[in-house]
Amino acid sequence: MPRQDGKVAIVTGGGRGIGFEVVRYMAMLGAHVIIGGRDEQEGLAAVRRICEEYKEAKVEFTKLDLASLQSVRQFVQSFKERDLPLNILVNNAGVMLVPESRTEDGFEQHFGVNYLGHFLLTWLLLDTLKDSGKCGYFSRVVNVSSSAHRIGKIRLNDLNSCQCYSAHDAYCHSKLAQLLFSSHLHQELQRGGFLLSSCAVDPGMVDTALYRHLWTPICLAQNVFARLLFRTPVEGAATVLFAALSPALEGECGGGYWANGRREMTTPTTFDLQLQLSLWETSVQLLGLQ
């Protein structure tokens, strides 16, 4: 990947796992990277590790709790007060298979953290992302999704999974919502002629803490098989970095859904333009945006 000197990136959930490897590699290439995360101790430890490895690294941590819309707004306000450009936004943070619970604002955890928190974050940063794009150097939004979106469903009248809760289903639904958002956003940006693209990425099955909410016997088995069959965080970060940095995705070549380093087809639901628009409009209403 080319050098990223002068570019600014925000990576949510960059304190560990895939996000940490994305931050580490971007910093190695000269980018100024801001980790947005809920765990301050973990985030600051990640900054120290990277700075010890790369003495010239420009990495910092800022508190960001995607389960709190107020926290998202405070994060964006703090960032904008610094008058920095924003060339890359990687929406990486997420939860999986958490017991039924609600965010600070009353949304189901998977829907609220994986999708709605990132929707608001992206929305509030769009003007900066647009202004930072240049001809031949588009700004980019990269949404880290999952192949689990293939069995997800969007019920506009039950986005909080109140009728029948399943942690697995809620996770799959949130990942499908991410893809629908990513696709609709990219189309809107193209129509507006903005120097900004949006794409979704599947990093594959990666050995990270995302599986910590599995039932204990399954979790123990997963710990064993993960070392044999799952990708490492470094390997999982590869396609995310490709989508965020590769010159091959510049301009009209951006957008889409990427896995294993290449563009892949998704389910027909992902291409449902009416569903994309309906979810977008519903999200805007839920967040009180204009």
Side-chain angles (χ1 to χ4, degrees), residues 97-236:
L97 304 180
V98 297
E100 185 174 8
S101 57
R102 293 289 184 267
T103 67
E104 180 181 292
D105 305 280
F107 300 107
E108 189 277 321
Q109 280 285 344
H110 297 89
F111 178 71
V113 174
N114 297 351
Y115 170 69
L116 209 55
H118 280 129
F119 185 105
L120 178 61
L121 178 68
T122 306
W123 179 284
L124 296 176
L125 290 170
L126 270 181
D127 54 349
T128 308
L129 284 160
K130 290 174 181 176
D131 291 341
S132 303
K134 299 177 182 178
C135 187
Y137 296 96
F138 274 40
S139 296
R140 302 186 190 185
V141 176
V142 179
N143 298 288
V144 181
S145 185
S146 164
S147 59
H149 80 273
R150 298 182 185 278
I151 53 177
K153 294 181 180 179
I154 298 296
R155 300 183 180 90
L156 293 170
N157 62 345
D158 188 30
L159 291 172
N160 283 314
S161 302
C162 295
Q163 296 176 4
C164 180
Y165 185 80
S166 159
H168 178 264
D169 289 349
Y171 174 74
C172 296
H173 301 341
S174 71
K175 290 301 171 178
L176 174 57
Q178 277 187 308
L179 254 73
L180 291 166
F181 162 67
S182 181
S183 180
H184 184 77
L185 174 61
H186 186 69
Q187 293 170 46
E188 289 293 307
L189 294 170
Q190 282 191 312
R191 278 194 286 267
F194 297 106
L195 304 180
L196 169 63
S197 64
S198 169
C199 71
V201 171
D202 170 22
M205 296 186 70
V206 182
D207 186 13
T208 69
L210 197 62
Y211 296 91
R212 65 187 180 278
H213 292 291
L214 286 170
W215 185 45
T216 302
I218 298 177
C219 189
L220 293 173
Q222 185 267 335
N223 288 336
V224 175
F225 286 108
R227 294 183 178 88
L228 300 173
L229 304 175
F230 285 18
R231 294 174 180 174
T232 65
V234 172
E235 293 168 335

